[in-house]
Amino acid sequence: MSELSTTLPASGAPAQPLAFHDTAESHPPNGTLLGFWVYLMSDCLVFACLFAAYGVLGREYAGGPTGAQVLELPAVAVNTALLLLSSITYGFAVLQMQRDRQRPMMLWLAVTGLLGAGFITLELREFAHLIAIGAGPQRSAFLSSFFTLVGTHGLHVSCGILWLIVLMTQVARKGLIPANKRRLMCLSMFWHFLDVVWVGVFSFVYLMGVLP
Amino acid sequence: MSAHDDTPAAHGDGHGHDELGIHATFGGYMTGFVLAVVLTVIPFWLVMGHVFDTSSTAAVVILGLAAVQIVVHMIYFLHMNAKSEGGWNMLALVFTIVLVVITLSGSIWIMYHLNHNMMPMINPANLP
């Protein structure tokens, strides 16, 4: 104690008083992207619950058709390819956005939207086929959880396409302003996140569903 | 932090930053795409080609490949790393993964045992 009191004056008075709290604002510069990430994580929990429901009910056929009888893997393979391609084309759009090249970016966004629309079309045809052969969501617990999980993912992709069209209109009107770039990065995260969920869907629902 | 304080004009509206903190590269996207294609084709080939005789082996391999593919998508498409957003991205992700694992494994575990334990009750031979 006595040693402190003798050495402190020797080092001179501190240049500024000690502060134990931030006086300036300290929110991160990319707050929107972090907030959107938190939304995606909560969306992830929605899908986790639907996956859990399918995991519990996926083998309860109630005397109805089994997964091996009604799920068609070739169509699912095409769907997977469409979604994976749309992910990489959105990536190309982001690369053009970083270089402020609006026209090629819009072209890649349009390709992404078309691939997404193709995915939705194939999925709706699959649903229509299942309902037509009497394997609708009311047939068994397996089909109820299947339609809920895959349908929720399809609904997300549809919303993503709608968002994509709105954003393309905004970019066409206002150009690549910082606000539009931020929105494009949010949609990029949303779109890639849906591809991540689809990896779980085709592995857990389709591929494991047709196993004997 | 100090670099951020140097730009008071951009600080005011909160979204004046041209650089969004994410720098995507063509090589990164292509690496992710090639890996994703390989990790997608293998499980489809395993199931459609009837490579495994037992379903449980095939299921374990499919789930393992799916987990690897999800990590690939996270790194190369969603640009996840431990430093983005000062680590808050990763923290939210880890928390979500914990909740997802609890939800999935807990549901399947509980319902499996519930079915197992309910079985004698349903059997008419055991009824008085």
Side-chain angles (χ1 to χ4, degrees):
Chain A
M1 202 55 206
S2 60
E3 193 182 330
L4 266 180
S5 59
T6 52
T7 51
L8 261 179
S11 63
Q16 55 189 24
L18 288 173
F20 297 101
H21 56 89
D22 280 342
T23 49
E25 273 187 90
S26 62
H27 67 81
N30 301 321
T32 308
L33 292 185
L34 176 59
F36 195 76
W37 179 256
V38 172
Y39 154 69
L40 286 183
M41 291 298 98
S42 66
D43 219 13
C44 200
L45 295 183
V46 171
F47 280 108
C49 294
L50 295 176
F51 271 109
Y54 180 83
V56 169
L57 302 170
R59 298 269 164 175
E60 310 292 336
Y61 303 120
T66 65
Q69 287 167 343
V70 292
L71 301 180
E72 290 170 10
L73 282 189
V76 180
V78 174
N79 250 353
T80 307
L82 285 178
L83 210 56
L84 198 53
L85 278 172
S86 80
S87 244
I88 190 72
T89 54
Y90 202 107
F92 292 154
V94 168
L95 290 175
Q96 299 297 338
M97 183 198 82
Q98 285 181 341
R99 293 179 201 142
D100 286 314
R101 295 205 288 214
Q102 184 172 329
R103 182 172 287 273
M105 187 203 78
M106 294 288 262
L107 272 176
W108 282 120
L109 285 183
V111 172
T112 307
L114 287 177
L115 288 167
F119 172 85
I120 289 296
T121 310
L122 272 178
E123 193 166 279
L124 285 178
R125 280 182 58 183
E126 185 197 12
F127 282 2
H129 171 70
L130 285 177
I131 293 169
I133 64 171
Q138 73 274 38
R139 181 60 191 86
S140 63
F142 153 63
L143 285 164
S144 299
S145 53
F146 167 82
F147 271 91
T148 313
L149 173 55
V150 182
T152 305
H153 178 267
L155 204 59
H156 275 75
V157 176
S158 307
C159 291
I161 295 171
L162 187 65
W163 187 3
L164 188 73
I165 294 168
V166 172
L167 257 186
M168 284 176 72
T169 315
Q170 281 188 320
V171 172
R173 290 171 65 95
K174 302 252 172 97
L176 274 173
I177 57 176
N180 276 343
K181 283 189 178 182
R182 193 183 68 241
R183 291 165 190 150
L184 283 162
M185 288 316 291
C186 282
L187 180 56
S188 163
M189 285 159 73
F190 187 71
W191 200 260
H192 293 310
F193 167 76
L194 290 182
D195 207 9
V196 170
V197 173
W198 183 252
V199 172
V201 171
F202 81 70
S203 301
F204 194 58
V205 175
Y206 286 100
L207 292 180
M208 285 171 67
V210 302
L211 289 176
Chain B
M1 196 58 222
S2 59
H4 181 52
D5 288 340
D6 289 339
T7 56
H11 187 253
D13 56 3
H15 47 75
H17 304 264
D18 200 40
E19 193 69 35
L20 284 157
I22 294 168
H23 187 70
T25 59
F26 179 77
Y29 276 121
M30 285 317 284
T31 311
F33 182 68
V34 170
L35 283 174
V37 167
V38 171
L39 289 165
T40 303
V41 168
I42 291 174
F44 270 95
W45 167 70
L46 287 178
V47 173
M48 294 170 87
H50 305 287
V51 175
F52 287 113
D53 291 332
T54 50
S55 292
S56 54
T57 318
V60 169
V61 174
I62 290 169
L63 285 181
L65 288 169
V68 175
Q69 188 174 355
I70 286 173
V71 172
V72 166
H73 279 243
M74 286 279 176
I75 293 174
Y76 291 104
F77 290 161
L78 283 163
H79 312 294
M80 274 301 292
N81 58 56
K83 287 192 281 294
S84 63
E85 307 281 358
W88 289 104
N89 266 350
M90 186 56 86
L91 195 69
L93 178 66
V94 169
F95 179 60
T96 309
I97 290 173
V98 169
L99 289 187
V100 167
V101 168
I102 291 174
T103 310
L104 282 177
S105 60
S107 301
I108 292 167
W109 186 26
I110 290 171
M111 294 310 287
Y112 175 78
H113 279 267
L114 194 63
N115 283 342
H116 191 71
N117 293 334
M118 289 294 279
M119 209 63 88
M121 299 286 288
I122 303 166
N123 190 351
N126 290 349
L127 293 175

